[in-house]
Amino acid sequence: MSNRFYFGGSDSGSDADDNDASLPFPKPLERTAFLAPDFDAATFLSSLSNRFQTLEDLQAELRELSQTLNKELVDLVNDNYQDFLSLGSTLYGGEEKIEDIRLGLLGFERDVKAVRDKVDTRRNEVAELLRQKKALRQETSVGQALLEIAERLDLLEEKLEISTSTKIKSQPQDGGGEQWGDEWIEEATANDVDEEFNSDGVDGVPPRLQRRTEEFLILKYLASKHSPQHPFLLAQEGRIRKIQEILLSDLEMAIKQETEVKYKQQLMQIRGAIEE
């Protein structure tokens, strides 16, 4: 190890020794540097770049450290030889204990699996109940919407007197032509008076006819939210068609009697909406 650096200098007085004595000498490697859990040899060697030490000297120092550790390990075993021999005897019978622990763990695993299966079963039951609840809510919503359609249909038939057999009287109109039915020009009740008073009627359209057409358009809009093949809507087709025919007939009469082109166009637009 002629190339190693040593602390201190010699008393030879030579210039070479004086120059070597002025150089910094590396400290011995610490054992704690090798105890890090994430120890990496490449990182460790790169951290020694400023040790002023040759690679041969570093290898020799590491070799000496390894030999020292091996010697200490041998001394430790020799000093505690009897304890190492008795270690095997103290472990005698451990197989039974390990087997007991294994059986206990297997039983615990079965219990956990049984609990997990119960939880999964209950989760599936709750999911099914929630699905049924959602379906019932949807059916309830559809039922309420259809009930509203039925109520509006009954009310509109009542206002148009479709269900009665009373003969519609005619009222002469100025200027001749076709006559209005009594359902449009009859004396209004108290409720109808309030309704007409609050209505912003379209010029050229009788207020009551306007309200009936609006109610019919609302009825069509509510029905359009459901499938046209719904059994309830299929059962009401005849009633809806009857109301539509009456409204179209009255609108046609109003169009023929209207003299103003602007109002006639408004009536034709309403008729187009009813026919759709």
Side-chain angles (χ1 to χ4, degrees), residues 99-143:
E99 183 65 18
D100 293 340
I101 295 175
R102 189 181 70 84
L103 294 177
L105 289 176
L106 290 176
F108 179 73
E109 183 179 0
R110 286 194 299 269
D111 295 340
V112 171
K113 185 178 183 301
V115 173
R116 184 182 292 111
D117 293 340
K118 291 181 180 179
V119 172
D120 292 340
T121 302
R122 184 58 57 87
R123 182 188 296 111
N124 294 334
E125 292 176 355
V126 172
E128 178 63 20
L129 291 175
L130 291 176
R131 187 193 64 78
Q132 294 178 5
K133 181 179 179 181
K134 182 179 180 181
L136 289 175
R137 283 183 176 178
Q138 292 177 347
E139 293 177 359
T140 302
S141 177
V142 172

Side-chain angles (χ1 to χ4, degrees), residues 159 161 168-173 178-189 192 196 206-209 211-212 250 253 257:
K159 291 180 179 180
E161 299 182 357
I168 298 178
K169 299 180 181 180
S170 298
Q171 185 78 9
Q173 300 290 328
E178 297 186 50
Q179 308 299 318
W180 282 99
D182 286 347
E183 67 271 19
W184 306 123
I185 60 176
E186 65 184 357
E187 184 177 356
T189 62
D192 289 334
E196 290 181 7
R208 187 169 297 182
L209 176 59
R211 290 195 302 274
R212 301 299 180 262
D250 290 320
M253 185 186 306
Q257 293 179 352

Side-chain angles (χ1 to χ4, degrees), residues 250-264:
D250 290 320
L251 284 169
E252 190 67 27
M253 185 186 306
I255 291 172
K256 291 180 179 180
Q257 293 179 352
E258 184 58 55
T259 57
E260 293 288 339
V261 176
K262 179 177 66 174
Y263 299 150
K264 189 183 292 290

Side-chain angles (χ1 to χ4, degrees), residues 5-10 14-25 52:
F5 294 97
Y6 297 95
F7 288 94
S10 64
S14 64
D15 294 338
D17 291 340
D18 292 340
N19 292 334
D20 291 342
S22 63
L23 294 175
F25 291 92
F52 300 99

Side-chain angles (χ1 to χ4, degrees), residues 57-262:
D57 290 340
L58 179 60
Q59 290 176 341
E61 187 173 357
L62 290 173
R63 191 176 296 110
E64 288 182 2
L65 180 60
S66 176
Q67 293 174 356
T68 301
L69 293 175
N70 289 334
K71 183 177 181 304
E72 291 179 358
L73 180 60
V74 172
D75 293 340
L76 178 63
V77 173
N78 291 333
D79 294 340
N80 301 276
Y81 183 72
Q82 294 299 327
D83 294 336
F84 278 104
L85 292 179
S86 61
L87 180 62
S89 60
T90 56
L91 295 177
Y92 179 77
E95 293 82 0
E96 291 79 3
K97 295 181 179 180
I98 293 175
E99 183 65 18
D100 293 340
I101 295 175
R102 189 181 70 84
L103 294 177
L105 289 176
L106 290 176
F108 179 73
E109 183 179 0
R110 286 194 299 269
D111 295 340
V112 171
K113 185 178 183 301
V115 173
R116 184 182 292 111
D117 293 340
K118 291 181 180 179
V119 172
D120 292 340
T121 302
R122 184 58 57 87
R123 182 188 296 111
N124 294 334
E125 292 176 355
V126 172
E128 178 63 20
L129 291 175
L130 291 176
R131 187 193 64 78
Q132 294 178 5
K133 181 179 179 181
K134 182 179 180 181
L136 289 175
R137 283 183 176 178
Q138 292 177 347
E139 293 177 359
T140 302
S141 177
V142 172
Q144 291 175 346
L146 295 178
L147 181 60
E148 181 180 1
I149 293 175
E151 292 175 349
R152 287 181 175 273
L153 193 57
D154 293 340
L155 183 61
L156 196 52
E157 284 181 337
E158 181 180 352
K159 291 180 179 180
L160 294 176
E161 299 182 357
I162 293 178
S163 59
T164 62
S165 58
T166 305
K167 184 178 180 180
I168 298 178
K169 299 180 181 180
S170 298
Q171 185 78 9
Q173 300 290 328
D174 294 337
E178 297 186 50
Q179 308 299 318
W180 282 99
D182 286 347
E183 67 271 19
W184 306 123
I185 60 176
E186 65 184 357
E187 184 177 356
T189 62
N191 292 334
D192 289 334
V193 170
D194 294 337
E195 189 176 1
E196 290 181 7
F197 181 80
N198 295 327
S199 175
D200 297 330
V202 179
D203 293 338
V205 182
R208 187 169 297 182
L209 176 59
Q210 179 186 350
R211 290 195 302 274
R212 301 299 180 262
T213 55
E214 289 175 351
E215 292 172 0
F216 181 75
L217 292 176
I218 293 175
L219 180 64
K220 287 182 60 178
Y221 172 74
L222 294 176
S224 66
K225 292 184 176 181
H226 307 279
S227 171
Q229 303 302 321
H230 193 283
F232 175 80
L233 296 180
L234 291 176
Q236 310 306 318
E237 281 186 351
R239 300 172 64 188
I240 296 176
R241 190 180 303 109
K242 181 64 175 178
I243 295 174
Q244 184 182 35
E245 291 173 355
I246 293 177
L247 293 177
L248 289 175
S249 175
D250 290 320
L251 284 169
E252 190 67 27
M253 185 186 306
I255 291 172
K256 291 180 179 180
Q257 293 179 352
E258 184 58 55
T259 57
E260 293 288 339
V261 176
K262 179 177 66 174

Side-chain angles (χ1 to χ4, degrees), residues 26-30 33-34 41-55 58-59 61-62:
K27 296 180 180 180
L29 295 176
E30 298 181 358
F34 302 93
T43 304
F44 174 74
L45 291 176
S46 63
S47 65
L48 304 178
S49 58
N50 297 325
R51 284 178 58 85
F52 300 99
Q53 187 178 23
T54 63
L55 182 60
L58 179 60
Q59 290 176 341
E61 187 173 357
L62 290 173

